[in-house]
Amino acid sequence: MTMTGKALGGTGRWLDDRLHAAHGTRYLLRKIFPDHWSFLLGEIALYSFIILLLTGTFLTLWFQPSMTQIVYHGSYLPLRGVKMSEAYASTLKISFDVRGGLLMRQIHHWAADLFMAAIMAHMIRVFFTGAYRKPREMNWLIGIVLFTLGMFEGLFGYSLPDDLLSGAGLRITEGILQSFPIVGTYLAFFLFGGQFPGHVIIPRLYILHVLVIPGLILALITAHLFLMFHQKHTQMPGKGRTDTNVVGAPMYPYFMAKTGAFFLFVFAALALAGTFAQINPVWIYGPYNPVAMSAGSQPDFYMGMLEGALRVMPNWQTVIWGHTISWNVFLPALVPLGIIFTGAAFWPFIEQWVTGDRREHHVNDRPRNAPTRTAIGIAAITFYGVLWAEGANDILADHLDISLYSITWAARISMFVGPVIAYIVTKRICLGLQRKDQHLLEHGVETGIIRQLPSGEFIEETRPVDEEALAVLQSRPVHPELPPGESAESGVPAPGMRGALGKVRSRLYKVITESAPMEDGHGNGHGNGHAAIGDGHGNGHANGGQQPATVSAGDGSGDAAETEGSQPDPDADEPGH
Amino acid sequence: MSWITARRRHPAAGYAILVLGLLLIGTVYAAITEGSAGASAPPVANAKQIAYGRKLFVATCATCHGEYAQGQADTAPSLIGVGAAAVDFQVSTGRMPAAELGAENPRKTPRLNERQTHAVAAYIQSLGGGPPIPSAAEVSTTGANVGLGQRLFVAECAQCHNFVGAGGALTYGKYAPALTQATPTQIYEAMLTGPEAMPVFNNATITPAEKRDIIAYVTRVRSEANPGGFSLGRIGPVTEGLVAFLGLLLFCVLAAMWITAKQRKAHD
């Protein structure tokens, strides 16, 4: 052993004798992480958050969260001599007088946008792969809370510079608070410390933005990651991947190298955007002035859906005993996003209740293999997307030469019709893809080779799918035809399935578990198709063919599950492959 | 300078000096009177110009506005009393003669040249009343207060034209156009006459000095550099969101795909 080696070993032993860290570290370093690009979406959010903390700390060194009015004398000439708040003046100072200040501001803002965009993408990935299922429901809920906190963190953050645009956002915030029946006015006065805009809102938002919400987000991210680490990461279906193992690369050195590189990619993307793309140019918006407003006043994109909800809403108000209830603000502020978030939060439990599936799931679903879930997800995205686009209705009208009210009416109709169409179309696509998978499983991959049999018949030669693809194709879950507890023979519902609630559950069960039939039951088709694949297959399907043609979907499923289990054998037997 | 010394007695030297001198005087004169050259001083109306204007009016405008500018129900308003400024604005921006009847007449290449435009304007002015075409001095931005112009613009104009004059949508297919091409005279005339959906900002609501401040702001901000990089159209956060998704997120997703593309071989 060299001198250095001894020294290192000695130090290590000294430390380990006191900290007993070697065991834990080894466990940590050998931790397995599955590899899939979509598993890195959450990491984009994590790394954006780290960059947000770093750039945000830099900005606090110069930012003055004060609404004291001063006259500007800084180096941005066009606003010299203009009265503005210290918050706005210090933002101008960061942008024009602090070395690297504008770059930091822009990276901070782009990182906020990327943070929220990555959260959305990550949430969509988790939903469509069913990665929220037991045991990960808590992490799913934490994720929704993080999303909500991120929205508020962003709103409060871009409200701080006290420019024209942010002031407009705060005005809407005030309006939403005021729209709460009975307590609205008190809520608004409570937040703003009196009449809008008052003198305290920026200092208050500042402490929420730099301390309270980031603290909460940091704590919840820690919990989120700890749970992910403890419960182990889900994996995509594939060869040798089960609910009881994790197939992937160990933390050290593979995952560490990859994730370290990925942090640098995210950082690079943000640095490039911060350098080359101007974001939130507060100097051209001018200082906030309650009587002024600009065309094209939009919030940042993650609030765009709320903006759209507000714009799509008809002007409804009710006056009861001299008290005005502003449905025109109250409903759009709470209902659409409420549907999305509440629906998302309850979904894992609804699904569990309906399917009775209380098993742990560590292998993800392919979106096509849960057609109803995928269809509901796309419907929700459509609903969100319509309102999101409506939030930019004036920009769309101006740049696409469409009448503003046409867009509003299109949004009013498509926010209801769009999700329904999206649901139906998505479900059909999923079922179609399932049939395609089933076809591959039963008939193999078409080779393009046409062979003539001695009888004169032409057939196309097929070959079975390879092992990896086979594992993916076979990952489709098998649902019993009837909800658990219900017995087909007796025709008597189980105790839990009686009553109105039970009937609802039993009906929902049929919808949620709707899948393409596992075997299409065409005896003739099978005979022809399988002759070419090989003896093993031929035998397998000869059995299938003996079944009566009127086989029900449930029976078919059961058989198919068995066939799947035995399928590797005929493949292995085949000498030709 | 030796080549000048060598050629100063050249036969053509005197002419060259004369031509240079004339050029110099011409350039200086043009520079001094540039405002009026671009936007022209209000034409001194005379009978000949009015007659020419009437001839042009009958040829290009009368189809809709009527032979005596009396207008036509549901198609074109009466032009009696609108003044020369309104005509100059509509014709010099190419909005009139209109290509079709729509919610809004777009800016396009003018059909009439400046002399013709002024002639038609003089004819309409001769029918009675209305604001005349502003003089070069009236639209000059020399000594204007850009800071005040910014505040006035944000208070009075930005709710339709956007904070930097990038334009915006109005109801029923109408829109507030982008102010990227409008000349100082046109901006002044627009405020004075309120074309299309725009309200009239007469000299009592916005004083002539304030109008010049606004013009100074509009013309300055559109040439203002973007210290933060590409401007993304300066139309607010919508394009920023687009960049966040199609630029940042897409870049990171592609990076993620690249990083995870090479799977580690399993142990077995």
Side-chain angles (χ1 to χ4, degrees):
Chain A
M1 207 182 240
T2 61
M3 283 287 280
T4 353
K6 256 183 201 162
L8 278 177
T11 317
R13 200 165 307 116
W14 189 89
L15 278 173
D16 197 48
D17 284 346
R18 281 147 189 87
L19 301 175
H20 305 290
H23 175 74
T25 315
R26 191 180 307 124
Y27 168 77
L28 217 69
L29 294 181
R30 295 301 300 166
K31 183 94 181 163
I32 298 289
F33 280 93
D35 240 358
H36 191 270
W37 66 269
S38 71
F39 296 167
L40 296 185
L41 292 173
E43 282 185 28
I44 302 176
L46 175 66
Y47 296 147
S48 310
F49 186 70
I50 292 172
I51 290 166
L52 278 168
L53 288 182
L54 294 175
T55 49
T57 308
F58 179 92
L59 296 176
T60 58
L61 302 181
W62 284 278
F63 182 71
Q64 296 284 332
S66 153
M67 295 176 86
T68 310
Q69 295 288 307
I70 56 161
V71 175
Y72 182 67
H73 293 296
S75 59
Y76 183 65
L77 291 176
L79 288 177
R80 274 205 185 160
V82 172
K83 250 183 114 179
M84 57 182 67
S85 66
E86 276 194 314
Y88 186 74
S90 62
T91 311
L92 290 181
K93 185 183 168 188
I94 291 172
S95 306
F96 295 108
D97 298 306
V98 174
R99 193 175 293 272
L102 182 59
L103 180 66
M104 285 293 180
R105 252 198 72 218
Q106 298 207 129
I107 293 181
H108 190 70
H109 204 131
W110 281 123
D113 275 12
L114 183 58
F115 178 63
M116 293 305 290
I119 287 180
M120 287 180 178
H122 177 55
M123 183 180 177
I124 287 170
R125 196 283 291 171
V126 168
F127 182 81
F128 283 126
T129 57
Y132 56 77
R133 289 173 299 173
K134 190 180 172 187
R136 295 182 178 78
E137 303 97 324
M138 264 167 71
N139 237 5
W140 171 251
L141 294 178
I142 291 177
I144 292 171
V145 176
L146 277 170
F147 191 168
T148 321
L149 284 175
M151 285 176 65
F152 281 106
E153 178 71 351
L155 168 70
F156 295 165
Y158 70 68
S159 295
L160 288 180
D162 202 23
D163 58 291
L164 187 65
L165 207 54
S166 73
L170 280 181
R171 188 57 138 175
I172 295 181
T173 310
E174 187 217 8
I176 289 173
L177 285 177
Q178 284 179 332
S179 76
F180 280 78
I182 302 172
V183 293
T185 317
Y186 301 97
L187 283 178
F189 269 58
F190 177 67
L191 179 66
F192 287 86
Q195 279 287 2
F196 180 86
H199 300 282
V200 296
I201 185 66
I202 296 230
R204 284 182 180 181
L205 292 184
Y206 182 69
I207 211 67
L208 287 172
H209 180 75
V210 304
L211 182 73
V212 181
I213 303 181
L216 285 173
I217 291 182
L218 196 58
L220 286 173
I221 286 182
T222 313
H224 201 67
L225 291 180
F226 178 80
L227 273 175
M228 183 270 290
F229 201 86
H230 178 68
Q231 296 172 335
K232 296 171 188 65
H233 204 286
T234 56
Q235 52 190 343
M236 292 299 182
K239 194 184 151 205
R241 298 177 186 188
T242 68
D243 278 335
T244 51
N245 69 1
V246 184
V247 179
M251 176 88 152
Y252 178 85
Y254 299 95
F255 185 73
M256 263 181 168
K258 284 187 176 189
T259 197
F262 194 54
F263 171 74
L264 295 177
F265 268 110
V266 174
F267 189 20
L270 290 172
L272 283 172
T275 310
F276 292 113
Q278 180 165 290
I279 187 164
N280 199 22
V282 289
W283 55 91
I284 56 174
Y285 299 155
Y288 181 57
N289 171 1
V291 301
M293 188 69 196
S294 169
S297 287
Q298 260 85 17
D300 274 19
F301 78 84
Y302 41 87
M303 304 297 281
M305 193 257 195
L306 286 170
E307 174 83 15
L310 210 54
R311 290 183 185 207
V312 88
M313 181 74 192
N315 189 21
W316 292 347
Q317 279 190 354
T318 321
V319 180
I320 303 171
W321 300 309
H323 183 86
T324 309
I325 301 175
S326 303
W327 304 112
N328 47 4
V329 180
F330 186 63
L331 292 183
L334 292 187
V335 175
L337 205 58
I339 292 176
I340 300 276
F341 277 166
T342 317
F346 278 110
W347 173 254
F349 305 101
I350 296 174
E351 196 185 51
Q352 238 172 57
W353 173 67
V354 171
T355 58
D357 181 357
R358 305 261 190 278
R359 288 168 300 159
E360 288 205 355
H361 292 278
H362 299 283
V363 176
N364 286 325
D365 271 338
R366 303 172 78 209
R368 70 186 61 175
N369 287 338
T372 303
R373 178 202 300 152
T374 307
I376 287 175
I378 297 288
I381 290 174
T382 309
F383 178 71
Y384 188 101
V386 166
L387 291 177
W388 200 8
E390 168 67 11
N393 64 354
D394 58 329
I395 302 282
L396 293 175
D398 195 30
H399 290 266
L400 302 181
D401 259 336
I402 309 170
S403 166
L404 187 77
Y405 289 162
S406 307
I407 297 182
T408 303
W409 271 105
R412 279 176 183 172
I413 296 166
S414 50
M415 69 182 278
F416 295 107
V417 178
V420 177
I421 296 175
Y423 178 90
I424 296 169
V425 169
T426 310
K427 197 152 184 180
R428 289 304 116 190
I429 291 175
C430 285
L431 293 174
L433 288 170
Q434 282 190 333
R435 285 200 186 87
K436 189 191 122 213
D437 287 354
Q438 197 60 30
H439 183 86
L440 279 177
L441 272 177
E442 287 169 7
H443 303 267
V445 184
E446 293 173 2
T447 57
I449 300 167
I450 308 289
R451 191 175 278 181
Q452 189 176 17
L453 298 182
S455 62
E457 185 189 5
F458 286 97
I459 53 158
E460 182 177 7
E461 207 167 301
T462 56
R463 63 175 167 75
V465 289
D466 62 57
E467 277 183 64
E468 186 61 43
L470 190 71
V472 174
L473 290 177
Q474 288 176 336
S475 70
R476 189 168 140 193
V478 183
H479 298 284
E481 195 198 2
L482 295 170
E486 205 160 344
S487 148
E489 292 93 54
S490 62
V492 177
M497 303 303 284
R498 288 174 205 154
L501 206 60
K503 276 188 188 127
V504 169
R505 186 182 162 199
S506 147
R507 186 161 298 173
L508 283 176
Y509 182 84
K510 285 201 179 67
V511 176
I512 282 190
T513 58
E514 187 181 342
S515 276
M518 281 290 198
E519 228 174 13
D520 48 17
H522 298 303
N524 295 336
H526 278 234
N528 290 339
H530 283 274
I533 294 180
D535 294 334
H537 274 262
N539 290 340
H541 280 275
N543 295 338
Q546 284 165 8
Q547 287 177 354
T550 52
V551 67
S552 77
D555 294 337
S557 306
D559 275 3
E562 276 178 31
T563 320
E564 277 174 18
S566 63
Q567 210 144 13
D569 294 333
D571 283 347
D573 288 344
E574 263 175 324
H577 293 274
Chain B
M1 300 301 269
S2 61
W3 65 273
I4 294 182
T5 323
R7 287 169 181 78
R8 66 186 167 173
R9 294 192 192 286
H10 194 274
Y15 298 106
I17 295 292
L18 188 65
V19 168
L20 277 177
L22 284 173
L23 269 178
L24 184 69
I25 290 167
T27 315
V28 169
Y29 180 79
I32 289 168
T33 59
E34 198 192 22
S36 60
S40 277
V44 182
N46 55 49
K48 207 175 143 201
Q49 195 192 20
I50 290 171
Y52 180 49
R54 158 127 189 99
K55 209 176 113 199
L56 285 167
F57 181 86
V58 171
T60 42
C61 323
T63 317
C64 303
H65 288 288
E67 201 186 338
Y68 299 99
Q70 76 276 25
Q72 228 185 94
D74 303 331
T75 314
S78 160
L79 298 183
I80 296 163
V82 300
V87 177
D88 188 50
F89 175 84
Q90 297 285 355
V91 178
S92 72
T93 59
R95 290 188 163 81
M96 286 290 151
E100 58 185 338
L101 288 175
E104 182 98 15
N105 293 312
R107 189 186 179 98
K108 55 183 189 291
T109 318
R111 274 271 303 281
L112 304 183
N113 63 29
E114 198 180 301
R115 196 172 67 88
Q116 293 167 326
T117 307
H118 283 168
V120 177
Y123 166 65
I124 295 298
Q125 186 85 46
S126 76
L127 298 177
I133 299 173
S135 69
E138 279 178 285
V139 301
S140 161
T141 55
T142 326
N145 184 343
V146 177
L148 181 61
Q150 193 267 345
R151 267 178 293 163
L152 285 166
F153 188 83
V154 163
E156 305 282 358
C157 322
Q159 57 266 62
C160 302
H161 286 287
N162 145 309
F163 39 79
V164 290
L170 299 174
T171 51
Y172 300 113
K174 294 195 286 266
Y175 57 89
L179 305 179
T180 39
Q181 293 170 301
T183 65
T185 307
Q186 286 164 353
I187 299 171
Y188 197 99
E189 287 167 345
M191 287 190 271
L192 216 52
T193 63
E196 316 249 352
M198 182 163 161
V200 173
F201 296 96
N202 62 35
N203 288 342
T205 41
I206 296 182
T207 66
E210 288 172 340
K211 284 195 172 75
R212 284 198 293 278
D213 294 341
I214 290 176
I215 292 170
Y217 172 72
V218 171
T219 49
R220 187 198 57 79
V221 75
R222 64 191 181 195
S223 60
E224 188 183 322
N226 293 298
F230 295 115
S231 72
L232 309 183
R234 301 207 285 196
I235 53 168
V238 173
T239 42
E240 294 168 5
L242 223 53
V243 171
F245 272 84
L246 299 182
L248 286 171
L249 189 63
L250 192 65
F251 177 90
C252 292
V253 166
L254 290 176
M257 286 175 166
W258 186 55
I259 280 180
T260 52
K262 209 163 188 181
Q263 297 279 341
R264 187 168 165 267
K265 285 268 181 290
H267 293 294
D268 54 12

